[in-house]
Amino acid sequence: MLELAAHAKINLGLEVTGKRPDGYHNLASVMQLVDLHDTLTFSPADDLRLSSDDSAMLAEGDNNLVLRAANLLRQTYSIGKGAHITLDKRIPTAAGLGGGSSDAATTLLGLSELWGLGLPPAELSHLGATLGSDVPFFFAGPTALVEGRGEQVTPLSPSPAFQAVLVSQPYNIPGKTRQLYASLAPEDLGDGSRTREVVAALQQGGDISSLPLFNSFERAAFQVFPGLDAVRRQMLDAGARNVHLSGSGPTLYALYPRSAGGEAQRLYETLAENGLRAYLVQNIR
């Protein structure tokens, strides 16, 4: 049996830079792994099957990204073996934290090892890009500049040690990402310069809580997710110095240097006591 962690990511800024001829959008973002994670275990089996403590994952059937990744690997390399995959789900779904993409990348890594394929990460990343725009990042983290559709990934030096308080309230919005992109206005778009400022600030090792963060989806997210702005205000009222959106949302987060750990802990405890779905996480370096 092989056990692997599939880590969540947050976006330290995200700029949508324009629409492509193929209908997708180009972006520029700094992505960062955090220690919140799902756990996947892989065991030999005659067929391919998935078990999970999250019934919603199982309800997706073959559309689940774990099974899609497994079937893609089998078909691409004509593998006749199976596997029993168990998914212990901890990352909120459809939350802007990349949980499904991380699970897919981890499945490709795990099955490559279980089936003795020995495929290099670059080859698996290329394969993973066909499953989702965020998937390639999870082969290159923990900190990386992501551009294009998500397939252009440039690893960066480790970010300064920080903690983040995440608040990820549950929403059920079909076609969430599509709605968010459709809600973008011209003034929401960037040219990548703000992301380059974030990269420069990270490389200088400055105060993580004062990064010049920007997210093209922020205005639209507060319209698409009912009550999200009230959540932001709750975080600020509870003492958050700053509140940012991860991905296309709805997860909001506040950053703290690890040296200010007590402040992050107090914010987390206050938000959890107020009934919000909060997480206290650290960046992976």
Side-chain angles (χ1 to χ4, degrees):
M1 183 181 76
L2 173 65
E3 181 177 293
L4 297 176
H7 289 276
K9 60 82 180 169
I10 59 174
N11 296 80
L12 299 178
L14 191 165
E15 290 179 88
V16 178
T17 58
K19 196 167 186 178
R20 300 156 51 108
D22 60 9
Y24 291 95
H25 289 77
N26 283 320
L27 56 86
S29 178
V30 175
M31 293 188 184
Q32 171 66 54
L33 291 180
V34 295
D35 60 359
L36 174 64
H37 65 85
D38 296 339
T39 302
L40 289 103
T41 57
F42 305 89
S43 303
D46 293 332
D47 57 354
L48 191 59
R49 64 185 188 276
L50 173 66
S51 301
S52 179
D53 60 349
D54 188 335
S55 59
M57 297 293 101
L58 302 178
E60 292 176 345
D62 287 345
N63 287 325
N64 179 278
L65 272 168
V66 169
L67 289 177
R68 285 175 58 197
N71 282 313
L72 178 63
L73 194 65
R74 282 216 303 182
Q75 294 164 10
T76 301
Y77 297 97
S78 302
I79 305 299
K81 301 175 183 178
H84 180 202
I85 306 171
T86 301
L87 171 61
D88 183 10
K89 193 71 182 159
R90 292 295 173 268
I91 304 172
T93 57
L97 297 173
S101 295
S102 184
D103 291 343
T106 303
T107 297
L108 293 174
L109 286 166
L111 291 180
S112 175
E113 183 173 343
L114 184 73
W115 292 338
L117 303 180
L119 298 171
E123 190 167 344
L124 292 174
S125 177
H126 181 73
L127 195 63
T130 67
L131 296 167
S133 298
D134 286 348
V135 176
F137 162 72
F138 292 97
F139 294 98
T143 311
L145 171 64
V146 178
E147 298 173 288
R149 257 191 71 192
E151 79 285 358
Q152 299 172 30
V153 183
T154 305
L156 300 174
S157 300
S159 57
F162 69 80
Q163 290 183 302
V165 178
L166 315 180
V167 176
S168 185
Q169 292 298 92
Y171 287 90
N172 182 17
I173 298 181
K176 177 203 78 167
T177 303
R178 188 163 48 252
Q179 280 198 51
L180 265 296
Y181 273 109
S183 300
L184 291 176
E187 60 267 25
D188 298 323
L189 306 183
D191 61 2
S193 59
R194 294 193 179 190
T195 301
R196 290 191 291 274
E197 289 178 14
V198 173
V199 172
L202 284 173
Q203 302 308 292
Q204 292 166 8
D207 182 357
I208 193 74
S209 60
S210 62
L211 285 177
L213 302 188
F214 171 81
N215 190 318
S216 289
F217 289 110
E218 190 162 306
R219 182 200 57 79
F222 289 127
Q223 293 181 345
V224 171
F225 298 106
L228 187 62
D229 192 50
V231 174
R232 181 186 66 83
R233 289 196 301 271
Q234 277 186 269
M235 295 177 70
L236 292 170
D237 290 344
R241 304 182 199 174
N242 51 70
V243 178
H244 305 287
L245 183 75
S246 183
S248 58
T251 297
L252 299 172
Y253 67 87
L255 296 176
Y256 293 89
R258 245 179 246 184
S259 57
E263 194 174 351
Q265 181 72 34
R266 286 191 295 274
L267 176 63
Y268 162 72
E269 291 175 355
T270 299
L271 296 173
E273 288 169 2
N274 289 340
L276 297 177
R277 190 167 67 174
Y279 303 84
L280 179 61
V281 303
Q282 298 185 108
N283 63 321
I284 294 175
R285 306 185 73 224

